[in-house]
Amino acid sequence: MALPQERTYTLEDIYNLPEGTRAELIDGQIYYMAPPSRTHQEILGALYRNIADYIDAKKGDCKIYFAPFAVFLNKDDINYVEPDISVICDPSKLDDKGCHGAPDWIIEIVSPGNPEHDYFTKLYKYRLAGVREYWIVDPRTKTITVYFFEGDIWAKSYTFSDAVPANIYDDLTIDFHLLSL
């Protein structure tokens, strides 16, 4: 007797979801996303402004995008994510559909309904895909966990009272205590 097979979903399934349905696809499994909270959006906006202002002031080549923005992590049709913030420094990865390959820096703001998704599932996928730096911002605990996969920092924790350095840049620090969160 054959064992039941779990269905593997593809990008086609994501594109065929009803209009307005937000979901990610990781290793062929669909993860539906709840609408973000007001706090989530305030954090997202403040971080985006800080990073975008820095890139503009430095006349940098990196591009910053906020969700919903498609990131196709692997060269397959079973992985599709929408990070809260993606910073991409290689313009050859970008087209009108999104980013093809690993962004240099990803920031996820933890959703209360499924924190394990950001802390475990995405951490693993982002590291394997070649993301250089990954921040997990958790409004519940008022903490920021920074993973820098290129250096000797495996994980470093900060609070919403700290100034947090971005490792992919030499001189960018985000003062969370000044973000009025």
Side-chain angles (χ1 to χ4, degrees):
M1 181 167 102
L3 294 174
Q5 296 294 312
E6 189 173 291
R7 178 167 178 201
T8 299
Y9 294 92
T10 66
L11 289 173
E12 183 179 347
D13 295 305
I14 289 290
Y15 288 132
N16 287 329
L17 289 173
E19 184 74 29
T21 302
R22 290 200 48 218
E24 295 180 311
L25 182 66
I26 298 178
D27 295 331
Q29 296 304 299
I30 293 178
Y31 294 86
Y32 292 96
M33 299 178 345
S37 68
R38 181 188 56 81
T39 301
H40 180 282
Q41 293 302 89
E42 287 179 1
I43 294 169
L44 176 66
L47 289 171
Y48 179 86
R49 275 192 319 275
N50 273 261
I51 298 165
D53 288 349
Y54 171 85
I55 292 170
D56 289 345
K58 295 290 185 174
K59 298 184 181 4
D61 293 329
C62 298
K63 302 291 184 189
I64 181 171
Y65 300 94
F66 55 85
F69 177 73
V71 173
F72 306 93
L73 284 175
N74 308 89
K75 294 180 179 174
D76 60 31
D77 68 344
I78 60 169
N79 286 286
Y80 164 93
V81 292
E82 293 183 359
D84 289 312
I85 293 178
S86 301
V87 177
I88 298 106
C89 300
D90 179 354
S92 72
K93 292 181 179 180
L94 296 169
D95 67 14
D96 281 344
K97 289 187 176 188
C99 177
H100 299 269
D104 293 270
W105 182 14
I106 288 178
I107 299 175
E108 293 284 8
I109 302 163
V110 175
S111 299
N114 192 4
E116 298 82 15
H117 192 56
D118 294 320
Y119 281 104
F120 299 107
T121 307
K122 286 185 174 181
L123 169 64
Y124 177 74
K125 290 304 292 184
Y126 292 160
R127 183 166 188 246
L128 282 181
V131 171
R132 295 170 58 202
E133 184 163 357
Y134 176 41
W135 287 19
I136 302 173
V137 178
D138 195 331
R140 300 164 310 137
T141 59
K142 296 192 180 310
T143 58
I144 305 98
T145 306
V146 174
Y147 296 91
F148 185 54
F149 300 125
E150 289 186 337
D152 57 358
I153 300 171
W154 173 240
K156 191 161 184 180
S157 294
Y158 299 90
T159 71
F160 279 21
S161 300
D162 294 325
V164 182
N167 295 286
I168 69 165
Y169 294 110
D170 292 332
D171 58 350
L172 172 60
T173 299
I174 298 176
D175 295 320
F176 272 77
H177 66 282
L178 297 177
L179 297 182
S180 302
L181 302 175

